Amino acid sequence: MLIKSIGGKAQQVPELLAMCPLEIQTYFEPFAGSAALFWELKRQDLIRGSVLNDRNRLLMDVYRAAQNCPHELAKALDDMRTLRGREPFEGMRAQLNAFMAPQIPVGGRPDLSLVDRASYVLYLNRRTFNGLLDRKSTRLNSSHG
């Protein structure tokens, strides 16, 4: 699993697998979340093609970066290994929130590459309690650890 997600289906994967056909030409997942079932189907080589989607743009950025620039994403995450504490957490959260803001704040939208966005999301996800997004908005929550 690449990312933790509230309401993820990881616990139900064995039950869901039992209901799946032995081969899937194209797997469609409209609410990807952690994509637990997708990853297991892929691991077992049961799918030929796939289309993943989620309302959360930042989550989809994580999957795009993992697919299109995995080495750059791995390097960015490796560079973050030593970051600890409130300051880097709040800095990344603020940059992602400004990037996702519906109205461009004074000074403009931060210039965050796909790899920056994906690595920030993964960093924050590993250090939050009970998930990454506040379900009532698209803003990243303030819970951290």
Side-chain angles (χ1 to χ4, degrees):
M1 186 175 342
L2 186 59
I3 191 166
K4 295 182 283 185
S5 177
I6 294 175
K9 298 180 272 300
Q11 300 291 334
Q12 290 80 28
V13 166
E15 296 167 47
L16 295 170
L17 278 173
M19 294 184 257
C20 289
L22 295 177
E23 185 176 315
I24 300 169
Q25 288 301 317
T26 305
Y27 174 79
F28 292 91
E29 179 59 75
F31 310 107
S34 67
L37 180 59
F38 164 78
W39 292 115
E40 184 58 26
L41 290 167
K42 189 150 182 72
R43 187 186 72 75
Q44 293 188 25
D45 199 29
L46 297 175
I47 57 177
R48 300 294 157 240
S50 59
V51 178
L52 300 180
N53 193 30
D54 199 281
R55 181 179 181 197
N56 182 341
R57 176 184 173 188
L58 292 173
L59 177 62
M60 296 312 300
D61 284 346
V62 169
Y63 292 130
R64 278 187 204 93
Q67 179 180 29
N68 299 324
C69 33
H71 301 292
E72 295 90 339
L73 179 59
K75 182 181 179 338
L77 291 170
D78 194 47
D79 291 347
M80 293 177 171
R81 282 184 192 265
T82 60
L83 298 178
R84 299 282 186 270
R86 187 175 214 87
E87 191 174 315
F89 180 94
E90 289 181 354
M92 287 181 214
R93 186 185 65 206
Q95 286 189 55
L96 286 173
N97 281 334
F99 181 82
M100 294 298 291
Q103 300 164 343
I104 297 175
V106 175
R109 189 178 307 266
D111 184 25
L112 294 175
S113 71
L114 176 65
V115 169
D116 288 339
R117 295 189 308 270
S119 62
Y120 288 11
V121 167
L122 289 169
Y123 176 90
L124 295 171
N125 182 257
R126 293 290 189 252
R127 285 157 179 80
T128 57
F129 176 75
N130 244 357
L132 184 57
L133 289 180
D134 174 347
R135 292 293 187 190
K136 295 178 183 154
S137 71
T138 57
R139 295 183 63 80
L140 296 164
N141 73 27
S142 60
S143 229
H144 73 283

